[in-house]
PDB file of all heavy atoms in Angstrom:
ATOM      1  N   LYS X   1       0.843  -1.191   0.000  1.00  0.00           N
ATOM      2  CA  LYS X   1       0.000   0.000   0.000  1.00  0.00           C
ATOM      3  C   LYS X   1       0.881   1.245   0.000  1.00  0.00           C
ATOM      4  O   LYS X   1       1.974   1.231   0.593  1.00  0.00           O
ATOM      5  CB  LYS X   1      -0.919   0.009   1.226  1.00  0.00           C
ATOM      6  CG  LYS X   1      -1.884  -1.169   1.270  1.00  0.00           C
ATOM      7  CD  LYS X   1      -2.739  -1.114   2.521  1.00  0.00           C
ATOM      8  CE  LYS X   1      -3.705  -2.300   2.570  1.00  0.00           C
ATOM      9  NZ  LYS X   1      -4.545  -2.267   3.790  1.00  0.00           N
ATOM     10  N   PRO X   2       0.458   2.335  -0.654  1.00  0.00           N
ATOM     11  CA  PRO X   2       1.253   3.567  -0.654  1.00  0.00           C
ATOM     12  C   PRO X   2       1.473   4.106   0.758  1.00  0.00           C
ATOM     13  O   PRO X   2       0.559   4.062   1.590  1.00  0.00           O
ATOM     14  CB  PRO X   2       0.413   4.532  -1.497  1.00  0.00           C
ATOM     15  CG  PRO X   2      -0.483   3.663  -2.308  1.00  0.00           C
ATOM     16  CD  PRO X   2      -0.766   2.469  -1.464  1.00  0.00           C
ATOM     17  N   LEU X   3       2.674   4.613   1.002  1.00  0.00           N
ATOM     18  CA  LEU X   3       3.020   5.172   2.309  1.00  0.00           C
ATOM     19  C   LEU X   3       3.602   6.569   2.104  1.00  0.00           C
ATOM     20  O   LEU X   3       4.364   6.808   1.176  1.00  0.00           O
ATOM     21  CB  LEU X   3       4.039   4.279   3.023  1.00  0.00           C
ATOM     22  CG  LEU X   3       3.601   2.840   3.324  1.00  0.00           C
ATOM     23  CD1 LEU X   3       4.764   2.038   3.883  1.00  0.00           C
ATOM     24  CD2 LEU X   3       2.423   2.823   4.298  1.00  0.00           C
ATOM     25  N   SER X   4       3.236   7.487   3.008  1.00  0.00           N
ATOM     26  CA  SER X   4       3.730   8.860   2.951  1.00  0.00           C
ATOM     27  C   SER X   4       4.166   9.305   4.333  1.00  0.00           C
ATOM     28  O   SER X   4       3.648   8.823   5.350  1.00  0.00           O
ATOM     29  CB  SER X   4       2.660   9.816   2.410  1.00  0.00           C
ATOM     30  OG  SER X   4       2.303   9.476   1.092  1.00  0.00           O
ATOM     31  N   ARG X   5       5.104  10.250   4.379  1.00  0.00           N
ATOM     32  CA  ARG X   5       5.550  10.832   5.644  1.00  0.00           C
ATOM     33  C   ARG X   5       6.011  12.257   5.393  1.00  0.00           C
ATOM     34  O   ARG X   5       6.177  12.686   4.245  1.00  0.00           O
ATOM     35  CB  ARG X   5       6.667  10.005   6.281  1.00  0.00           C
ATOM     36  CG  ARG X   5       7.948   9.949   5.472  1.00  0.00           C
ATOM     37  CD  ARG X   5       8.952   8.988   6.084  1.00  0.00           C
ATOM     38  NE  ARG X   5      10.171   8.887   5.288  1.00  0.00           N
ATOM     39  CZ  ARG X   5      11.253   9.618   5.476  1.00  0.00           C
ATOM     40  NH1 ARG X   5      11.275  10.533   6.451  1.00  0.00           N
ATOM     41  NH2 ARG X   5      12.320   9.463   4.721  1.00  0.00           N
ATOM     42  N   LEU X   6       6.220  13.006   6.490  1.00  0.00           N
ATOM     43  CA  LEU X   6       6.590  14.410   6.399  1.00  0.00           C
ATOM     44  C   LEU X   6       7.799  14.717   7.265  1.00  0.00           C
ATOM     45  O   LEU X   6       8.043  14.069   8.281  1.00  0.00           O
ATOM     46  CB  LEU X   6       5.430  15.305   6.857  1.00  0.00           C
ATOM     47  CG  LEU X   6       4.280  15.566   5.892  1.00  0.00           C
ATOM     48  CD1 LEU X   6       3.205  16.383   6.598  1.00  0.00           C
ATOM     49  CD2 LEU X   6       4.762  16.284   4.647  1.00  0.00           C
ATOM     50  N   SER X   7       8.539  15.729   6.819  1.00  0.00           N
ATOM     51  CA  SER X   7       9.565  16.353   7.654  1.00  0.00           C
ATOM     52  C   SER X   7       9.204  17.836   7.756  1.00  0.00           C
ATOM     53  O   SER X   7       9.172  18.531   6.738  1.00  0.00           O
ATOM     54  CB  SER X   7      10.959  16.189   7.055  1.00  0.00           C
ATOM     55  OG  SER X   7      11.403  14.860   7.145  1.00  0.00           O
ATOM     56  N   LEU X   8       8.933  18.305   8.965  1.00  0.00           N
ATOM     57  CA  LEU X   8       8.601  19.709   9.203  1.00  0.00           C
ATOM     58  C   LEU X   8       9.837  20.385   9.779  1.00  0.00           C
ATOM     59  O   LEU X   8      10.345  19.984  10.819  1.00  0.00           O
ATOM     60  CB  LEU X   8       7.413  19.832  10.156  1.00  0.00           C
ATOM     61  CG  LEU X   8       6.867  21.247  10.362  1.00  0.00           C
ATOM     62  CD1 LEU X   8       6.299  21.802   9.063  1.00  0.00           C
ATOM     63  CD2 LEU X   8       5.791  21.252  11.436  1.00  0.00           C
ATOM     64  N   ILE X   9      10.317  21.415   9.106  1.00  0.00           N
ATOM     65  CA  ILE X   9      11.595  22.041   9.453  1.00  0.00           C
ATOM     66  C   ILE X   9      11.363  23.447   9.982  1.00  0.00           C
ATOM     67  O   ILE X   9      10.607  24.221   9.400  1.00  0.00           O
ATOM     68  CB  ILE X   9      12.514  22.097   8.218  1.00  0.00           C
ATOM     69  CG1 ILE X   9      12.686  20.695   7.626  1.00  0.00           C
ATOM     70  CG2 ILE X   9      13.860  22.704   8.560  1.00  0.00           C
ATOM     71  CD1 ILE X   9      13.260  20.710   6.240  1.00  0.00           C
ATOM     72  N   ASP X  10      12.015  23.785  11.083  1.00  0.00           N
ATOM     73  CA  ASP X  10      12.042  25.148  11.589  1.00  0.00           C
ATOM     74  C   ASP X  10      13.250  25.846  10.961  1.00  0.00           C
ATOM     75  O   ASP X  10      14.395  25.504  11.247  1.00  0.00           O
ATOM     76  CB  ASP X  10      12.153  25.149  13.112  1.00  0.00           C
ATOM     77  CG  ASP X  10      12.032  26.549  13.688  1.00  0.00           C
ATOM     78  OD1 ASP X  10      12.997  27.331  13.561  1.00  0.00           O
ATOM     79  OD2 ASP X  10      10.964  26.888  14.247  1.00  0.00           O
ATOM     80  N   LEU X  11      12.985  26.811  10.086  1.00  0.00           N
ATOM     81  CA  LEU X  11      14.066  27.434   9.314  1.00  0.00           C
ATOM     82  C   LEU X  11      15.008  28.252  10.180  1.00  0.00           C
ATOM     83  O   LEU X  11      16.190  28.399   9.864  1.00  0.00           O
ATOM     84  CB  LEU X  11      13.458  28.324   8.216  1.00  0.00           C
ATOM     85  CG  LEU X  11      12.572  27.616   7.193  1.00  0.00           C
ATOM     86  CD1 LEU X  11      11.964  28.630   6.232  1.00  0.00           C
ATOM     87  CD2 LEU X  11      13.357  26.567   6.422  1.00  0.00           C
ATOM     88  N   GLU X  12      14.491  28.806  11.271  1.00  0.00           N
ATOM     89  CA  GLU X  12      15.327  29.674  12.113  1.00  0.00           C
ATOM     90  C   GLU X  12      16.276  28.874  12.994  1.00  0.00           C
ATOM     91  O   GLU X  12      17.433  29.254  13.191  1.00  0.00           O
ATOM     92  CB  GLU X  12      14.444  30.574  12.970  1.00  0.00           C
ATOM     93  CG  GLU X  12      15.208  31.658  13.715  1.00  0.00           C
ATOM     94  CD  GLU X  12      14.279  32.623  14.405  1.00  0.00           C
ATOM     95  OE1 GLU X  12      13.109  32.262  14.667  1.00  0.00           O
ATOM     96  OE2 GLU X  12      14.709  33.763  14.685  1.00  0.00           O
ATOM     97  N   SER X  13      15.804  27.745  13.530  1.00  0.00           N
ATOM     98  CA  SER X  13      16.635  26.944  14.423  1.00  0.00           C
ATOM     99  C   SER X  13      17.326  25.786  13.711  1.00  0.00           C
ATOM    100  O   SER X  13      18.322  25.251  14.210  1.00  0.00           O
ATOM    101  CB  SER X  13      15.782  26.385  15.566  1.00  0.00           C
ATOM    102  OG  SER X  13      14.805  25.474  15.062  1.00  0.00           O
ATOM    103  N   GLY X  14      16.794  25.374  12.555  1.00  0.00           N
ATOM    104  CA  GLY X  14      17.370  24.240  11.848  1.00  0.00           C
ATOM    105  C   GLY X  14      16.908  22.898  12.374  1.00  0.00           C
ATOM    106  O   GLY X  14      17.374  21.858  11.917  1.00  0.00           O
ATOM    107  N   LYS X  15      15.983  22.892  13.318  1.00  0.00           N
ATOM    108  CA  LYS X  15      15.467  21.641  13.864  1.00  0.00           C
ATOM    109  C   LYS X  15      14.343  21.111  12.976  1.00  0.00           C
ATOM    110  O   LYS X  15      13.668  21.876  12.288  1.00  0.00           O
ATOM    111  CB  LYS X  15      14.960  21.855  15.291  1.00  0.00           C
ATOM    112  CG  LYS X  15      16.048  22.276  16.271  1.00  0.00           C
ATOM    113  CD  LYS X  15      15.476  22.459  17.664  1.00  0.00           C
ATOM    114  CE  LYS X  15      16.570  22.863  18.656  1.00  0.00           C
ATOM    115  NZ  LYS X  15      16.016  23.059  20.025  1.00  0.00           N
ATOM    116  N   SER X  16      14.144  19.803  13.018  1.00  0.00           N
ATOM    117  CA  SER X  16      13.110  19.197  12.189  1.00  0.00           C
ATOM    118  C   SER X  16      12.334  18.148  12.972  1.00  0.00           C
ATOM    119  O   SER X  16      12.859  17.530  13.899  1.00  0.00           O
ATOM    120  CB  SER X  16      13.726  18.549  10.944  1.00  0.00           C
ATOM    121  OG  SER X  16      14.606  17.517  11.301  1.00  0.00           O
ATOM    122  N   ILE X  17      11.067  18.006  12.615  1.00  0.00           N
ATOM    123  CA  ILE X  17      10.213  16.956  13.149  1.00  0.00           C
ATOM    124  C   ILE X  17       9.964  15.974  12.021  1.00  0.00           C
ATOM    125  O   ILE X  17       9.463  16.351  10.965  1.00  0.00           O
ATOM    126  CB  ILE X  17       8.871  17.523  13.658  1.00  0.00           C
ATOM    127  CG1 ILE X  17       9.103  18.537  14.776  1.00  0.00           C
ATOM    128  CG2 ILE X  17       7.952  16.408  14.137  1.00  0.00           C
ATOM    129  CD1 ILE X  17       7.835  19.234  15.225  1.00  0.00           C
ATOM    130  N   ASN X  18      10.311  14.729  12.229  1.00  0.00           N
ATOM    131  CA  ASN X  18      10.191  13.723  11.191  1.00  0.00           C
ATOM    132  C   ASN X  18       9.137  12.699  11.604  1.00  0.00           C
ATOM    133  O   ASN X  18       9.283  12.024  12.624  1.00  0.00           O
ATOM    134  CB  ASN X  18      11.537  13.042  10.954  1.00  0.00           C
ATOM    135  CG  ASN X  18      12.633  14.045  10.642  1.00  0.00           C
ATOM    136  OD1 ASN X  18      12.513  14.813   9.695  1.00  0.00           O
ATOM    137  ND2 ASN X  18      13.685  14.068  11.449  1.00  0.00           N
ATOM    138  N   THR X  19       8.082  12.608  10.841  1.00  0.00           N
ATOM    139  CA  THR X  19       6.975  11.740  11.214  1.00  0.00           C
ATOM    140  C   THR X  19       7.209  10.310  10.751  1.00  0.00           C
ATOM    141  O   THR X  19       8.071  10.027   9.918  1.00  0.00           O
ATOM    142  CB  THR X  19       5.663  12.240  10.585  1.00  0.00           C
ATOM    143  OG1 THR X  19       5.714  12.013   9.163  1.00  0.00           O
ATOM    144  CG2 THR X  19       5.462  13.712  10.835  1.00  0.00           C
ATOM    145  N   GLU X  20       6.407   9.427  11.287  1.00  0.00           N
ATOM    146  CA  GLU X  20       6.393   8.048  10.824  1.00  0.00           C
ATOM    147  C   GLU X  20       5.572   7.966   9.539  1.00  0.00           C
ATOM    148  O   GLU X  20       4.853   8.888   9.175  1.00  0.00           O
ATOM    149  CB  GLU X  20       5.779   7.145  11.896  1.00  0.00           C
ATOM    150  CG  GLU X  20       6.560   7.130  13.207  1.00  0.00           C
ATOM    151  CD  GLU X  20       5.863   6.308  14.262  1.00  0.00           C
ATOM    152  OE1 GLU X  20       4.702   5.908  14.017  1.00  0.00           O
ATOM    153  OE2 GLU X  20       6.462   6.056  15.311  1.00  0.00           O
ATOM    154  N   GLN X  21       5.676   6.845   8.838  1.00  0.00           N
ATOM    155  CA  GLN X  21       4.913   6.638   7.621  1.00  0.00           C
ATOM    156  C   GLN X  21       3.452   6.346   7.947  1.00  0.00           C
ATOM    157  O   GLN X  21       3.142   5.701   8.941  1.00  0.00           O
ATOM    158  CB  GLN X  21       5.498   5.484   6.809  1.00  0.00           C
ATOM    159  CG  GLN X  21       6.853   5.784   6.186  1.00  0.00           C
ATOM    160  CD  GLN X  21       7.396   4.605   5.415  1.00  0.00           C
ATOM    161  OE1 GLN X  21       7.217   3.469   5.814  1.00  0.00           O
ATOM    162  NE2 GLN X  21       8.075   4.868   4.314  1.00  0.00           N
ATOM    163  N   VAL X  22       2.572   6.877   7.092  1.00  0.00           N
ATOM    164  CA  VAL X  22       1.142   6.599   7.223  1.00  0.00           C
ATOM    165  C   VAL X  22       0.643   6.071   5.879  1.00  0.00           C
ATOM    166  O   VAL X  22       1.235   6.340   4.828  1.00  0.00           O
ATOM    167  CB  VAL X  22       0.345   7.861   7.618  1.00  0.00           C
ATOM    168  CG1 VAL X  22       0.746   8.343   8.985  1.00  0.00           C
ATOM    169  CG2 VAL X  22       0.531   8.965   6.591  1.00  0.00           C
ATOM    170  N   GLU X  23      -0.435   5.342   5.928  1.00  0.00           N
ATOM    171  CA  GLU X  23      -0.998   4.768   4.705  1.00  0.00           C
ATOM    172  C   GLU X  23      -1.723   5.856   3.929  1.00  0.00           C
ATOM    173  O   GLU X  23      -2.858   6.202   4.205  1.00  0.00           O
ATOM    174  CB  GLU X  23      -1.955   3.629   5.060  1.00  0.00           C
ATOM    175  CG  GLU X  23      -2.493   2.883   3.848  1.00  0.00           C
ATOM    176  CD  GLU X  23      -3.408   1.750   4.254  1.00  0.00           C
ATOM    177  OE1 GLU X  23      -3.085   1.045   5.236  1.00  0.00           O
ATOM    178  OE2 GLU X  23      -4.454   1.562   3.597  1.00  0.00           O
ATOM    179  N   ALA X  24      -1.040   6.421   2.959  1.00  0.00           N
ATOM    180  CA  ALA X  24      -1.584   7.516   2.150  1.00  0.00           C
ATOM    181  C   ALA X  24      -0.643   7.754   0.986  1.00  0.00           C
ATOM    182  O   ALA X  24       0.489   7.267   0.975  1.00  0.00           O
ATOM    183  CB  ALA X  24      -1.748   8.785   2.978  1.00  0.00           C
ATOM    184  N   HIS X  25      -1.125   8.521   0.007  1.00  0.00           N
ATOM    185  CA  HIS X  25      -0.291   8.908  -1.124  1.00  0.00           C
ATOM    186  C   HIS X  25      -0.519  10.394  -1.371  1.00  0.00           C
ATOM    187  O   HIS X  25      -1.271  10.796  -2.250  1.00  0.00           O
ATOM    188  CB  HIS X  25      -0.649   8.090  -2.372  1.00  0.00           C
ATOM    189  CG  HIS X  25       0.370   8.230  -3.470  1.00  0.00           C
ATOM    190  ND1 HIS X  25       0.205   7.696  -4.712  1.00  0.00           N
ATOM    191  CD2 HIS X  25       1.586   8.855  -3.501  1.00  0.00           C
ATOM    192  CE1 HIS X  25       1.245   7.962  -5.470  1.00  0.00           C
ATOM    193  NE2 HIS X  25       2.095   8.677  -4.754  1.00  0.00           N
ATOM    194  N   MET X  26       0.170  11.235  -0.560  1.00  0.00           N
ATOM    195  CA  MET X  26      -0.023  12.670  -0.608  1.00  0.00           C
ATOM    196  C   MET X  26       1.321  13.373  -0.484  1.00  0.00           C
ATOM    197  O   MET X  26       2.316  12.794  -0.022  1.00  0.00           O
ATOM    198  CB  MET X  26      -0.979  13.144   0.491  1.00  0.00           C
ATOM    199  CG  MET X  26      -2.319  12.436   0.525  1.00  0.00           C
ATOM    200  SD  MET X  26      -3.581  13.348   1.443  1.00  0.00           S
ATOM    201  CE  MET X  26      -4.087  14.567   0.239  1.00  0.00           C
ATOM    202  N   ARG X  27       1.330  14.657  -0.887  1.00  0.00           N
ATOM    203  CA  ARG X  27       2.528  15.485  -0.783  1.00  0.00           C
ATOM    204  C   ARG X  27       2.133  16.849  -0.239  1.00  0.00           C
ATOM    205  O   ARG X  27       0.987  17.283  -0.381  1.00  0.00           O
ATOM    206  CB  ARG X  27       3.202  15.624  -2.146  1.00  0.00           C
ATOM    207  CG  ARG X  27       2.385  16.386  -3.171  1.00  0.00           C
ATOM    208  CD  ARG X  27       3.167  16.613  -4.445  1.00  0.00           C
ATOM    209  NE  ARG X  27       2.388  17.311  -5.464  1.00  0.00           N
ATOM    210  CZ  ARG X  27       2.262  18.626  -5.528  1.00  0.00           C
ATOM    211  NH1 ARG X  27       2.847  19.396  -4.617  1.00  0.00           N
ATOM    212  NH2 ARG X  27       1.550  19.191  -6.491  1.00  0.00           N
ATOM    213  N   PRO X  28       3.068  17.585   0.392  1.00  0.00           N
ATOM    214  CA  PRO X  28       2.746  18.917   0.925  1.00  0.00           C
ATOM    215  C   PRO X  28       2.547  19.934  -0.183  1.00  0.00           C
ATOM    216  O   PRO X  28       3.315  19.980  -1.139  1.00  0.00           O
ATOM    217  CB  PRO X  28       3.960  19.246   1.794  1.00  0.00           C
ATOM    218  CG  PRO X  28       5.072  18.434   1.224  1.00  0.00           C
ATOM    219  CD  PRO X  28       4.451  17.184   0.707  1.00  0.00           C
ATOM    220  N   LEU X  29       1.508  20.754  -0.016  1.00  0.00           N
ATOM    221  CA  LEU X  29       1.233  21.825  -0.969  1.00  0.00           C
ATOM    222  C   LEU X  29       1.556  23.185  -0.363  1.00  0.00           C
ATOM    223  O   LEU X  29       2.033  24.077  -1.051  1.00  0.00           O
ATOM    224  CB  LEU X  29      -0.237  21.777  -1.401  1.00  0.00           C
ATOM    225  CG  LEU X  29      -0.670  22.731  -2.503  1.00  0.00           C
ATOM    226  CD1 LEU X  29       0.079  22.423  -3.797  1.00  0.00           C
ATOM    227  CD2 LEU X  29      -2.172  22.639  -2.741  1.00  0.00           C
TER     228      LEU X  29
END
């Protein structure tokens, strides 16, 4: 099954939140 995940980045600090994979087929807009 298609799996998707995200990385959310704080541009000022350089820190990132990296999620686990979820059953979906999507991309950030």
